Amino acid sequence: FLGAGGGNDIQWCFSQVKGAVDDDVAEADIISTVEFNHSGELLATGDKGGRVVIFQQEQENKTQSHSRGEYNVYSTFQSHEPEFDYLKSLEIEEKINKIRWLPQKNAAQFLLSTNDKTIKLWKISERDKRPEGYNLKEEDGRYRDPTTVTTLRVPVFRPMDLMVEASPRRIFANAHTYHINSISINSDYETYLSADDLRINLWHLEITDRSFNIVDIKPANMEELTEVITAAEFHPNSCNTFVYSSSKGTIRLCDMRASALCDRHSKLFEEPEDPSNRSFFSEIISSISDVKFSHSGRYMMTRDYLSVKIWDLNMENRPVETYQVHEYLRSKLCSLYENDCIFDKFECCWNGSDRQVEIFSIIVMTGSYNNFFRMFDRNTKRDITLEASRENNKPRTVLKPRKVCASGKRKKDEISVDSLDFNKKILHTAWHPKENIIAVATTNNLYIFQDKMN
Amino acid sequence: MLGKGGKRKFDEHEDGLEGKVVSPTDGPSKVSYTLQRQTIFNISLMKLYNHRPLTEPSLQKTVLINNMLRRIQEELKQEGSLRPVFVTASQPADPLSDNFREAQPAFSHLASQPLLPTDFVSTTPLESCLTPASLLEDDTFCTSPTVQHDGPTKSPPPALQPVKDSFSSALDEIEELCPAPTSAEAVAAETAADDSKDHPSESNVQKPEGLPESRTAESKLMDSLPGNFEITTSTGFLTDLTLDDILFADIDTSMYDFDPCTSATGAASKMAPVSADELLKTLAPYSSQPVTPNQPFKMDLTELDHIMEVLVGS
């Protein structure tokens, strides 16, 4: 794995951790999504309680050149509330499944957040001035008696303490029978898609009472259902192209120009099963939990239970690279099936786009158990395992690589598979679009790591 | 038929078993594969039936579990025609037979086996270390070390046998048409659903007496379920399996919750509870889940508690 020093190897240091310190995790605090905005200045998290917390990076302090700005809370708001579906007599969870930022067009920031059923467009705006000197109103808002007004004045803006307001601008509801797992904004920045287990809908950001169904895999007879949609994403450059992944380990690329309903794919990406690895759980572990295009749009990355695969869009029959995230779990699949861990949905992400272009370095990151997360460097073919933990993490101290001992004699500092804590899972990670700053979410804490600047 | 080796998956140490003759009947490898398959089957059923969410369960999870069950059913169907092979597990020549005799007194203690369904209903806190089913993956036939349990589960009784042995003993018992159920079983049997009426042509196993439930009542119950999720396994699923009838009779349906608010049961509403019942019975005839009023054949709860206390020795 990656050793210290040498070439372009990144040395990751602990920077910050956000969230409650105590081990007793409040269910509402469980982080369910993490996303940087397009500039990297803002970092949003969504949690199981339906809240969105946005952190803002401090402007770089010229005197403190050894570290980049810290992230501090910028805005907190309740995005979704629990609802009750009266027809089915079931609760609709307020948990935020995904957040996606829109590119900034004016002073305000916009993001889409979604729970299982409803997508909302939020406007986050700053207010640091307020008008003072009204003629008809007192400063506290009470109306003055018009007969007492003897002179007129022009109200002026006076500075005030910064206030960040979040207001819902659009609510896109009632379009999904099943649970929404993905939202993705098109490169035209006017439309976006939302995907649930069986359908994908196309929306216009301005129109909330109508959406177009572009993929429908619901069978006429639900008893024949054997496959569901697990993730979907628009191509970063090609506004007519999107992909969606399935629980059977396939990815379909669709072109919206081909037909209104993209039930027939343009490309089908699937790797044939390795017969030597076949087991009862082959299908379940092949289910894709996340799909992400590379910034160039030439590649895409998929995450299944045990591995990360990088696909070239021009080659459908197999991935160009496969990275094993925690192969030592392969012999434990029955237990992991029993305790439901096998259904955990790990996400994955690419390193920042600027980095990819500048120095042609492409690194992918994904989470694992025991609060471990993994990075794979495409160019050096090396990988590293790091841990997000409050212990042994001092600012600007390089993180120590971790190693899991699969079998045999355990070396010092290695951790054996049977000691892994399967309650501590890192499902959500995000990489700053321009810098080597990463956000890693444990169950209820958000860790921020930076590379060591010299 | 013996070429099942290619489909098996144990940890890598097991690769060497393929092609190796470990006994005249190649019994253990075949049986362990069967046992693992059976365990997975039972776990899958319990995931579908025991889940009582306030929110809709994940469709993806339901579909994957259903696919697992269907695949196993297909295998069982294919093997159904080769049923005689199954009985090798109980023959005296089989190395497991010693375990069978040992395990038989513990047959009535199945409820306290690690695979008690309440143990891995989703409300159970995730264990930090691996759960007992890993015993199967180690593929050891000897009695296992004590099982690890965190959280509220009770400690297993001293007579705890590894999961495998209880299955083997279950196979053995039913093969011999064990005529003397324990008191606990008799109680459970009395209130179990009458599934013989589902397959009048197939049930050639001794059914317990005093089954009050009629098929029509049961089907009415199932038909009235709203099926929240729409997804239902095919009506042919798990039916017409003579194998299941013979191996796993007298299943207590108290495992099931037919609360219409849970889509999981909606999912299974069309699934003939016959075989599911039967299998669950071998594992854990007792459930501490509350009884729904329209489920007339549930066990008496106080009786259940009493039995549990006796078994667990608390």
Side-chain angles (χ1 to χ4, degrees):
Chain A
F1 50 90
L2 280 173
N8 289 323
D9 288 353
I10 302 172
Q11 294 181 291
W12 291 103
C13 305
F14 171 81
S15 173
Q16 296 171 270
V17 59
K18 307 281 187 196
V21 180
D22 49 283
D23 287 333
D24 215 14
V25 178
E27 183 123 346
D29 291 340
I30 295 174
I31 298 172
S32 49
T33 185
V34 180
E35 190 81 359
F36 280 100
N37 76 335
H38 290 255
S39 66
E41 184 202 354
L42 298 177
L43 173 60
T45 61
D47 64 24
K48 204 161 179 216
R51 292 166 302 194
V52 171
V53 180
I54 302 177
F55 301 92
Q56 183 188 40
Q57 193 180 25
E58 272 173 11
Q59 292 312 302
E60 275 184 44
N61 195 328
K62 299 288 182 281
T63 60
Q64 279 192 313
S65 58
H66 55 259
S67 74
R68 300 181 183 83
E70 278 200 345
Y71 282 84
N72 300 314
V73 177
Y74 177 67
S75 171
T76 304
F77 57 93
Q78 187 75 33
S79 171
H80 287 71
E81 299 274 3
E83 288 172 46
F84 197 76
D85 181 336
Y86 291 98
L87 279 181
K88 296 182 188 176
S89 271
L90 290 171
E91 263 193 30
I92 298 172
E93 268 194 296
E94 67 274 31
K95 172 169 71 89
I96 308 296
N97 292 336
K98 285 285 175 347
I99 289 173
R100 291 286 182 262
W101 289 92
L102 267 73
Q104 190 172 11
K105 280 195 278 196
N106 52 36
Q109 302 276 359
F110 288 86
L111 61 78
L112 284 175
S113 72
T114 186
N115 70 346
D116 284 339
K117 297 284 186 181
T118 305
I119 306 130
K120 295 187 184 180
L121 175 69
W122 287 90
K123 175 179 177 183
I124 295 108
S125 48
E126 289 183 5
R127 195 198 289 266
D128 60 357
K129 298 184 264 294
R130 63 168 183 185
E132 284 178 21
Y134 283 107
N135 292 292
L136 295 174
K137 272 199 291 190
E138 302 285 0
E139 294 304 328
D140 58 9
R142 279 180 307 147
Y143 280 98
R144 289 167 75 182
D145 181 355
T147 56
T148 64
V149 178
T150 54
T151 62
L152 287 178
R153 55 184 174 167
V154 178
V156 291
F157 277 101
R158 293 257 141 80
M160 60 177 258
D161 289 340
L162 177 67
M163 206 165 72
V164 181
E165 299 170 324
S167 59
R169 306 304 281 179
R170 305 270 186 278
I171 297 184
F172 306 91
N174 302 320
H176 286 279
T177 309
Y178 303 97
H179 290 179
I180 298 174
N181 52 57
S182 312
I183 47 175
S184 176
I185 299 171
N186 205 346
S187 49
D188 63 8
Y189 300 138
E190 285 185 352
T191 58
Y192 74 94
L193 65 76
S194 58
D196 67 33
D197 294 310
L198 298 180
R199 298 191 177 102
I200 301 180
N201 293 332
L202 180 71
W203 302 84
H204 192 284
L205 282 164
E206 300 289 330
I207 300 169
T208 59
D209 60 356
R210 218 179 340 159
S211 81
F212 296 96
N213 178 240
I214 52 177
V215 173
D216 187 343
I217 64 167
K218 182 178 177 196
N221 182 0
M222 279 296 274
E223 293 178 10
E224 292 164 5
L225 179 66
T226 58
E227 192 174 8
V228 300
I229 297 170
T230 53
E233 194 177 62
F234 265 118
H235 191 276
N237 305 323
S238 190
C239 61
N240 50 277
T241 306
F242 66 93
V243 293
Y244 69 92
S245 60
S246 84
S247 56
K248 286 196 172 171
T250 65
I251 309 103
R252 287 172 173 81
L253 185 141
C254 299
D255 186 335
M256 294 196 291
R257 297 169 299 189
S259 69
L261 187 62
C262 301
D263 274 357
R264 288 173 51 183
H265 51 265
S266 302
K267 295 195 186 193
L268 174 67
F269 299 84
E270 188 174 11
E271 183 174 27
E273 193 186 353
D274 177 3
S276 65
N277 271 339
R278 263 196 85 191
S279 78
F280 288 110
F281 307 101
S282 292
E283 188 196 17
I284 297 181
I285 63 170
S286 76
S287 177
I288 292 172
S289 50
D290 195 14
V291 62
K292 292 263 171 47
F293 277 105
S294 69
H295 299 288
S296 64
R298 178 160 167 214
Y299 299 99
M300 67 177 173
M301 162 166 61
T302 58
R303 175 69 155 100
D304 50 71
Y305 190 63
L306 296 180
S307 68
V308 166
K309 295 181 180 173
I310 298 187
W311 303 78
D312 184 327
L313 290 196
N314 297 320
M315 188 160 74
E316 296 169 60
N317 58 350
R318 62 177 175 83
V320 292
E321 266 134 49
T322 301
Y323 302 111
Q324 300 302 334
V325 181
H326 34 220
E327 180 71 9
Y328 45 79
L329 295 182
R330 194 180 287 275
S331 57
K332 313 289 180 194
L333 291 178
C334 196
S335 306
L336 295 166
Y337 179 63
E338 197 189 340
N339 66 16
D340 273 357
C341 282
I342 209 174
F343 298 106
D344 287 337
K345 294 190 192 160
F346 292 95
E347 293 174 8
C348 53
C349 64
W350 299 85
N351 64 337
S353 56
D354 281 14
R355 294 271 134 180
Q356 287 183 5
V357 172
E358 251 175 51
I359 48 180
F360 305 106
S361 101
I362 290 180
I363 308 176
V364 299
M365 169 166 65
T366 190
S368 177
Y369 293 103
N370 210 68
N371 281 349
F372 288 169
F373 59 100
R374 305 259 286 136
M375 289 193 202
F376 303 93
D377 189 322
R378 272 199 77 193
N379 297 340
T380 64
K381 298 290 183 253
R382 287 191 289 186
D383 61 274
I384 191 168
T385 305
L386 299 171
E387 183 178 2
S389 153
R390 285 179 188 266
E391 305 159 1
N392 311 322
N393 274 330
K394 287 183 282 207
R396 296 199 300 281
T397 311
V398 178
L399 292 180
K400 194 173 96 172
R402 300 279 176 217
K403 188 129 170 60
V404 176
C405 166
S407 59
K409 206 159 155 39
R410 188 177 72 88
K411 299 192 190 92
K412 182 180 182 290
D413 284 348
E414 284 186 358
I415 180 166
S416 79
V417 182
D418 297 315
S419 317
L420 293 176
D421 188 341
F422 289 89
N423 287 332
K424 293 187 176 167
K425 45 192 93 173
I426 290 177
L427 304 174
H428 312 286
T429 59
W431 203 307
H432 191 290
K434 302 189 191 313
E435 308 286 346
N436 279 337
I437 302 175
I438 55 176
V440 174
T442 59
T443 306
N444 63 336
N445 284 175
L446 182 71
Y447 286 78
I448 298 173
F449 302 102
Q450 301 181 358
D451 75 355
K452 192 181 177 87
M453 291 171 79
N454 299 316
Chain B
M1 171 267 305
L2 289 177
K4 280 294 178 189
K7 274 179 138 190
R8 290 178 302 146
K9 178 58 190 171
F10 304 116
D11 67 21
E12 46 264 31
H13 304 303
E14 291 309 316
D15 288 349
L17 268 184
E18 287 181 41
K20 228 196 272 182
V21 178
V22 288
S23 83
T25 58
D26 202 25
S29 321
K30 171 74 180 166
V31 171
S32 75
Y33 171 83
T34 310
L35 281 170
Q36 187 185 41
R37 178 176 63 191
Q38 199 62 66
T39 307
I40 294 170
F41 191 86
N42 296 338
I43 293 171
S44 305
L45 282 176
M46 270 186 258
K47 282 186 186 302
L48 283 183
Y49 285 92
N50 283 358
H51 193 37
R52 282 172 36 119
L54 297 167
T55 58
E56 277 178 299
S58 154
L59 181 62
Q60 179 193 359
K61 198 167 143 185
T62 308
V63 165
L64 288 171
I65 296 171
N66 273 330
N67 290 352
M68 176 80 87
L69 288 167
R70 279 185 195 159
R71 226 176 292 126
I72 294 178
Q73 182 210 7
E74 278 307 310
E75 269 189 34
L76 288 173
K77 251 189 188 151
Q78 285 167 16
E79 287 177 5
S81 55
L82 307 161
R83 193 167 54 79
V85 178
F86 260 96
V87 306
T88 60
S90 64
Q91 283 168 4
D94 195 284
L96 284 173
S97 61
D98 288 337
N99 291 341
F100 294 165
R101 291 186 206 106
E102 244 181 295
Q104 281 191 20
F107 189 72
S108 62
H109 292 269
L110 279 176
S112 47
Q113 289 289 339
L115 283 182
L116 191 66
T118 51
D119 287 356
F120 38 78
V121 164
S122 55
T123 51
T124 306
L126 279 177
E127 299 179 9
S128 303
C129 299
L130 295 169
T131 56
S134 60
L135 291 173
L136 279 174
E137 286 158 355
D138 292 335
D139 196 34
T140 52
F141 294 101
C142 54
T143 56
S144 65
T146 54
V147 173
Q148 288 172 355
H149 263 289
D150 296 337
T153 57
K154 298 173 185 165
S155 58
L160 175 70
Q161 297 292 329
V163 168
K164 270 197 276 295
D165 287 344
S166 64
F167 279 122
S168 311
S169 67
L171 286 171
D172 188 44
E173 284 221 20
I174 291 162
E175 281 302 323
E176 295 173 7
L177 297 177
C178 174
T182 62
S183 60
E185 275 202 24
V187 173
E190 276 166 18
T191 56
D194 177 17
D195 44 16
S196 60
K197 292 195 182 140
D198 286 341
H199 312 283
S201 60
E202 290 151 2
S203 74
N204 46 5
V205 184
Q206 174 185 357
K207 295 286 182 183
E209 296 81 15
L211 293 171
E213 203 46 36
S214 69
R215 166 81 180 119
T216 51
E218 199 178 77
S219 63
K220 270 188 215 154
L221 189 67
M222 291 192 297
D223 291 341
S224 69
L225 293 171
N228 293 315
F229 241 66
E230 298 179 68
I231 179 176
T232 56
T233 53
S234 74
T235 51
F237 184 52
L238 294 184
T239 59
D240 303 319
L241 287 179
T242 58
L243 193 61
D244 280 2
D245 278 337
I246 287 168
L247 288 179
F248 307 108
D250 312 340
I251 300 302
D252 177 16
T253 61
S254 62
M255 285 308 305
Y256 294 171
D257 174 47
F258 284 97
D259 182 353
C261 281
T262 59
S263 60
T265 55
S269 64
K270 285 204 188 133
M271 199 165 114
V274 179
S275 306
D277 287 352
E278 294 161 341
L279 290 156
L280 285 172
K281 175 72 182 300
T282 60
L283 265 187
Y286 311 114
S287 166
S288 58
Q289 288 176 353
V291 181
T292 58
N294 55 359
Q295 181 72 287
F297 40 85
K298 287 240 190 249
M299 259 167 63
D300 186 46
L301 269 184
T302 53
E303 204 162 11
L304 172 72
D305 285 345
H306 173 68
I307 292 160
M308 282 303 300
E309 277 171 13
V310 166
L311 289 170
V312 178
S314 60

